[in-house]
Amino acid sequence: MQVGKLNPQPTARLNFPGFQEILDFTSAGSESSVSVTVDGDTDKEYKIIIRNLTSQQIYIRPNNDSGATNYGYQYLLNNAGTITAARNVTTSIFPTGTLSEDTYTFLTPTGFLKTAFNDRNGYTSGTTIGLFLVAGSVWNSTSNVTSLDFVSASGNFTTGTRITVYARRSN
């Protein structure tokens, strides 16, 4: 055993007990959307991690639903020491930030409204976290979730933008 030396494994994956990785997408820069087929009746929840290298938001739309008022959200934001809060309706689960890493927990029981919880770190340089956000979203649907669709707000994802989805399929 060596003390004080770290030997990272290049193929190491995050481990969420009871979760299975179902999407690991890294953009080549030519895609404006990506989708993964799911079954919200079988899956209990999803962990979604998005490292957004684009200068625009990324929308998460279950079942590719982009209804103008089908989603509500509320957030609390610390942007460079200035605290703000807001709530509104929109066309997706609370969208990612630009140049950020967002983590979502998305709960999917059929027969109930779908909820998502989001935390975000926004970065402006290699050493500066410009903002931190926590948000809650609701999707006004009681139907089964059959796909998770990720859409760039305009244009294509930036090369290297990464979207990873895990499904909890057991306790």
Side-chain angles (χ1 to χ4, degrees):
M1 179 173 127
Q2 290 182 319
V3 176
K5 188 165 186 164
L6 178 63
N7 183 14
Q9 299 298 317
T11 58
R13 300 273 188 214
L14 289 175
N15 181 20
F16 297 111
F19 283 83
Q20 173 185 351
E21 184 180 273
I22 59 172
L23 175 69
D24 189 6
F25 164 80
T26 301
S27 176
S30 59
E31 311 88 357
S32 60
S33 65
V34 65
S35 182
V36 62
T37 301
V38 296
D39 183 354
D41 278 343
T42 303
D43 303 332
K44 296 171 181 20
E45 69 181 284
Y46 300 101
K47 289 282 188 195
I48 303 167
I49 302 169
I50 301 175
R51 183 165 187 237
N52 185 6
L53 301 179
T54 66
S55 58
Q56 64 229 348
Q57 296 175 315
I58 296 174
Y59 301 132
I60 303 171
R61 294 181 170 147
N63 299 352
N64 206 23
D65 179 4
S66 61
T69 59
N70 287 351
Y71 303 87
Y73 67 84
Q74 185 162 323
Y75 69 82
L76 180 61
L77 168 69
N78 179 344
N79 188 355
T82 301
I83 307 294
T84 58
R87 68 180 185 170
N88 209 337
V89 294
T90 187
T91 61
S92 73
I93 289 175
F94 193 76
T96 67
T98 59
L99 300 175
S100 68
E101 182 165 289
D102 287 68
T103 303
Y104 295 85
T105 299
F106 183 46
L107 305 173
T108 63
T110 297
F112 298 92
L113 298 178
K114 312 302 185 268
T115 55
F117 304 97
N118 169 225
D119 64 77
R120 171 182 307 153
N121 292 298
Y123 46 89
T124 55
S125 73
T127 59
T128 304
I129 299 296
L131 65 87
F132 179 75
L133 171 140
V134 291
S137 295
V138 63
W139 177 36
N140 189 16
S141 174
T142 57
S143 63
N144 184 29
V145 178
T146 58
S147 70
L148 293 174
D149 302 276
F150 303 89
V151 180
S152 174
S154 63
N156 293 335
F157 299 124
T158 299
T159 301
T161 293
R162 185 172 183 184
I163 300 171
T164 309
V165 180
Y166 299 86
R168 183 165 63 97
R169 297 188 163 154
S170 65
N171 256 359

